């Protein structure tokens, strides 16, 4: 076990230091300072609290939204981030591969790429692969190798893991790559979706990844303001796992409780970020336990007991049970988040709304953002703009196909 | 035989202040004070004094000071006065040494070596005076997931929860039996439990018929002696506790001397008046884990699966594996009683040398149950030396669902920790059945004092919780990242699962 972690520590260490991708140098460094070095250990373990901007936009009729709109939303909130992280997730961006799992990968160097591809080939058929297209942007530096793959699960894999669903198999592979392959990180792993993120202001990251060239029916975005050691590309938002992508503004005080709870279900929290824990909580409750998203939200940000006491006996039993079963999944502390999935997005704040979130409706467009000005920058006259109540999920779902 | 034992305490009377009112003479059940009518003076016998401070507290003119007797043997860091006098006592009586209350040895105080976290800037602290702060706690078996079914657009809940104990504050009064403590003390505990919406525990002495009305706030205990156990008793409480062991005397049974078994106790315990009540060391129907499973099943069957079953064990070296076995045997709640846990009477050597500090035992049990993926199947109550609200918060952060307190509750009612509970002469009216002494504890006042204590602690828990930026106790449970160890070895930190002070998140 100790050995496994040491690889990760090393990898995190390199990226924390913002090293250029020079395998030789790093390997020497590694042999000189093996993983028992307290500094390596400390850097790798440190958790990074952060403040941020978040935004999401979708079209309930599935009309394709150009990437420029989400960039328009997030760049208005420039001052909420500090240039140390930005990112986007789009749904419906790969219509030609709609039924294949798409992995977005970050590699620190080419050996990692080879190893990861070997690992993927054990379980998947790689039906397409390419470098993720980028444009040089002066401010975006120290970029990793960025690659995407379209994958199908081989029939033999299904036989070998007969007790697991396709998603479980994919999740297993993702966790294995992230944990064991040094210098490789799976950024997203869903179908017909992808995450584009890095170190820089969100508008710079958008230019770098040429986000305007994609069209999606759902977009979410994030601008980061980490209050600790800066910039690892993988640590930027959104976080992606399977079909989920999530952006989060906050720092949760319940992290230790949530982490140990998730570990009981086999999740390995390698990044030590709150947001990773929240994403896994959604995966556990909504995908594995099969709770509808609004109910999963009610488990993560449950009503106060005094409110439960006022409910009808039927509701009371429902929320009481939910809260008793999922006490350790409660997200406590300042949080506002947007969770996206292929059929919609959900906005949620903590139970006393210590971080902002605004929602708006305009025709078939739905918006969520940290600030109203962001929404109005793209859509000056929405039909309805409101501030969702503390802890109450704002659920937007596709109306068709 | 001339006794070599010198007094432990010195009673100093200020003759200028003493008005010879004889309050001290009447208050001291150990008969340290006496009044001589021939010279109208009160005199004292230091040898009889146990240092309970009753006389000094009640003296109307504050004429008395009871202080430790210097007994200056030649200085010796190894053969201390305590060691020497214990040998004298045994040489003079040939008996094993007895003590009341928990161990007073200077072993490491783990609670004091743990520090809590607080929020600053990036994560605001929450002010409990302005924001809701929830301490409500449910104890009992929980399913791994909630199951829902869809009926059209609506969802319905399929999960039916196993019976749960609902507490307003994650604190319960630990087991103290009627017999070891007085009726008034039981009544005060029951009353305070009701007032605070928590629970108290009958201990192994049965339930006095007048206390059945507190059933909702009662845990009834089934111990090896099975005193007072019958169907109505099992039905009377909100939960049933099987007591396997106790932190103050792991591996040892109990003994209530016949003199204490008066008519009411004999009725409650269902034993003849004046006979000794002996609790065997093991349950005579539990010789292995499957026997425990049978007893749990029998109790559940008897009470038609409406009450959670608690199994209480002393913290011993292998407690993590034992706890896992208990959960698999069907326990809904496990109670772990640490080395500092109190008792009415324990052999001193056992009390001071057997067991584990609760912090270590609790951390080991919580980690083990999580590793095995069965933490949700049982709640954990940690007890045995919880002294204040910070201990409660630290215990919950280590992984407890709630804590048991008993010594702190007795102190709230007036106990002065003289450790002489086994004499039956408790001057504070707590650990006694002497009607003259029992009267000293006014149940209404004692209820008030207990309720005040719980209220005070819950305010402090809310402050600590809010300071950490959480507004519900669930978010603290098992949250060892909010703890740091100070002055602890690497091994201790590993067992506790906490980082050393100074290391960041
Ligand atoms: S035993 Fe208590 S009441 Fe008696 S003399 Fe000592 S301190 Fe006073
Ligand atoms: S309960 Fe009574 S006898 Fe026991 S330690 Fe407290 S004051 Fe002394």
């Amino acid at each position: 076990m100790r050995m496994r972690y040491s690889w990760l520590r090393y990898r995190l260490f390199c990226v924390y230091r913002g090293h250029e991708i020079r395998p030789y140098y790093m390997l020497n460094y590694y042999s000189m300072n093996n993983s028992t070095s307290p500094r390596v250990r400390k850097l790798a373990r440190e958790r990074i609290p952060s403040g941020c901007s978040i935004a999401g936009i979708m079209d309930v009729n599935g009309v394709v939204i150009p990437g420029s709109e989400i960039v328009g939303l997030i760049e208005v909130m420039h001052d909420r981030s500090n240039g140390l992280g930005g990112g986007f997730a789009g749904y419906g961006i790969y219509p030609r591969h709609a039924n294949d799992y798409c992995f977005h990968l970050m590699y620190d160097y080419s050996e990692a790429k080879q190893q990861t591809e070997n690992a993927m080939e054990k379980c998947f058929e790689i039906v397409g692969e390419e470098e993720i297209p980028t444009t040089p942007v002066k401010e975006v530096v120290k970029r990793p190798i960025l690659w995407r793959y379209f994958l199908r699960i081989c029939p033999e894999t299904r036989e070998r893991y007969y007790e697991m669903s396709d998603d479980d198999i994919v999740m297993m592979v993702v966790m294995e790559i992230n944990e064991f392959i040094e210098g490789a990180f799976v950024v997203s792993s869903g179908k017909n979706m992808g995450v584009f993120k890095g170190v820089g202001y969100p508008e710079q990251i958008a230019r770098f990844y040429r986000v305007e060239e994609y069209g999606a029916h759902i977009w979410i975005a994030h601008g980061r303001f980490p209050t600790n050691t800066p910039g690892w590309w993988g640590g930027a938002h959104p976080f992606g796992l399977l079909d989920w992508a999530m952006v989060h503004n906050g720092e949760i005080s319940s992290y230790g409780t949530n982490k140990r709870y998730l570990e009981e279900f086999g999740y390995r929290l390698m990044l030590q970020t709150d947001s990773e824990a929240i994403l896994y909580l959604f995966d556990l409750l909504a995908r594995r336990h099969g709770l509808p998203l609004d109910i999963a939200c009610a488990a993560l940000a449950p009503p106060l007991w005094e409110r439960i006491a006022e409910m009808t006996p039927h509701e009371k039993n429902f929320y009481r049970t939910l809260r008793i079963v999922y006490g350790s999944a409660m997200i406590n502390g300042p949080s506002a988040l947007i969770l996206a999935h292929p059929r919609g997005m959900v906005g949620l704040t903590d139970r006393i709304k210590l971080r902002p979130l605004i929602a708006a409706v305009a025709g078939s467009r739905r918006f969520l953002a940290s600030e109203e000005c962001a929404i109005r920058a793209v859509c000056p006259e929405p039909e309805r703009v409101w501030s969702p109540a503390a802890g109450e999920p704002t659920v937007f779902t596709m109306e068709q196909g | 035989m001339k006794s070599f034992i010198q007094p432990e305490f010195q009673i100093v009377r200020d003759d200028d202040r003493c008005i010879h009112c004889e309050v001290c003479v009447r208050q001291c059940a150990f008969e340290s004070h006496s009044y001589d009518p021939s010279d109208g003076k009160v005199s004292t016998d230091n040898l009889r004094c146990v240092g309970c401070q009753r006389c000094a507290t009640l003296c109307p003119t504050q004429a008395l000071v009871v202080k430790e007797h210097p007994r200056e043997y030649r200085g010796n860091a190894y053969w201390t006065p305590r060691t020497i006098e214990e040998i004298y006592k045994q040489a003079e009586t040939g008996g094993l040494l007895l003590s009341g209350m928990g161990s007073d040895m200077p072993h490491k105080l783990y609670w004091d070596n743990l520090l809590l976290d607080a929020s600053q800037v990036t994560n605001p602290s929450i002010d409990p005076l302005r924001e809701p702060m929830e301490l409500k706690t449910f104890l009992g078996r929980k399913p791994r997931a909630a199951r829902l079914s869809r009926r059209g657009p609506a969802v319905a809940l399929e999960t039916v929860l196993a019976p749960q104990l609902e507490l307003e504050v994650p604190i319960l009064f630990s087991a103290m039996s009627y017999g070891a403590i007085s009726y008034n003390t039981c009544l005060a505990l029951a009353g305070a439990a009701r007032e605070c919406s928590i629970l108290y525990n009958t201990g192994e002495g049965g339930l006095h018929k007048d206390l059945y009305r507190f059933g909702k706030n009662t845990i009834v205990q089934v111990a090896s002696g099975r005193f007072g156990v019958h169907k109505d008793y099992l039905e009377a409480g909100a939960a049933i506790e099987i007591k396997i062991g106790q932190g103050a005397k792991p591996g040892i049974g109990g003994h209530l001397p016949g003199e204490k078994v008066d008519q009411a106790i004999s009725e409650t315990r269902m034993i003849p008046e004046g006979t000794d009540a002996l609790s065997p060391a093991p349950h005579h129907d539990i010789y292995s884990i499957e026997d425990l499973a049978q007893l749990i099943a029998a109790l559940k069957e008897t009470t038609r699966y409406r009450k959670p079953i608690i199994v209480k064990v002393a913290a011993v070296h292998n407690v993590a594996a034992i706890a896992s076995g208990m959960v698999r045997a069907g326990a809904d709640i496990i109670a772990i009683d640490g080395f500092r846990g109190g008792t009415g009477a324990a052999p001193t050597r056992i009390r001071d040398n057997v067991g584990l500090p609760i912090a270590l035992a609790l951390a080991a049990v919580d980690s083990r149950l999580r590793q095995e993926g069965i933490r949700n199947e049982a709640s954990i109550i940690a007890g045995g030396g919880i002294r204040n609200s910070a201990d409660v918060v630290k215990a919950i952060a280590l992984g407890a669902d709630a804590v048991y307190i008993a010594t702190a509750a007795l102190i709230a009612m007036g106990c002065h920790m003289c450790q002489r509970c086994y004499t039956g002469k408790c001057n504070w009216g707590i650990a006694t059945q002497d009607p003259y002494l029992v009267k000293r504890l006014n149940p209404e006042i004692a209820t008030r004092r207990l309720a005040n204590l719980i209220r005070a602690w819950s305010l402090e828990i809310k402050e600590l919780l809010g300071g950490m930026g959480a507004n519900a106790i669930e978010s603290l449970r098992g949250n060892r990242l909010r703890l740091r160890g100070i002055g602890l070895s690497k091994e201790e930190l590993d067992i506790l699962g906490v980082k050393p002070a100074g290391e960041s998140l």
Side-chain angles (χ1 to χ4, degrees), chain B residues 470-503:
Chain B
N471 59 8
I473 196 82
E474 289 103 308
S475 298
L476 181 68
R477 188 157 302 126
N479 198 341
R480 299 184 186 175
L481 283 177
R482 309 315 294 271
L483 290 172
R484 288 293 181 274
I486 184 163
L488 297 175
S489 70
K490 174 88 179 54
E491 289 73 20
E492 289 167 320
L493 290 170
D494 282 350
I495 292 165
L496 292 168
V498 302
K499 294 178 178 181
E503 195 171 312

Side-chain angles (χ1 to χ4, degrees), chain B residues 184-260:
Chain B
N184 281 355
T185 313
C186 294
L187 180 60
L189 286 165
R194 180 158 73 186
E195 191 176 324
C196 302
S197 299
I198 59 171
L199 288 98
Y200 87 108
N201 187 315
T202 62
E204 61 172 324
L207 183 61
H208 191 284
K209 56 184 186 311
D210 296 345
L211 297 179
Y212 273 68
R213 64 200 160 98
F214 295 98
K216 253 173 39 155
N217 300 93
T218 308
I219 296 168
V220 295
Q221 201 183 58
V222 174
S224 61
R226 302 286 153 88
F227 299 118
V229 175
H230 51 88
K231 185 142 193 307
D232 294 347
Y233 170 76
L234 295 175
E235 291 284 0
I240 302 172
E241 178 172 274
I242 301 173
K243 177 199 161 185
I244 302 292
Q246 179 179 348
K249 42 180 177 179
I252 294 286
H255 178 190
L256 187 71
E259 307 88 76
K260 280 194 175 176

Side-chain angles (χ1 to χ4, degrees), chain B residues 371-429:
Chain B
Q371 272 161 23
E372 296 188 15
I374 52 173
R375 180 63 184 81
N376 58 300
E377 286 181 24
S379 298
I380 301 176
I381 307 178
I386 302 285
R387 299 161 302 172
N388 53 47
S389 59
D391 290 358
V392 178
V393 170
K394 292 169 187 176
I396 291 174
L398 279 179
D401 289 274
V403 300
Y404 260 148
I405 63 166
T407 304
L410 294 188
I411 294 175
M413 286 187 277
C415 162
H416 277 56
M417 292 300 289
C418 68
Q419 306 186 22
R420 290 296 181 277
C421 324
Y422 60 93
T423 60
K425 292 187 195 166
C426 175
N427 273 331
W428 293 91

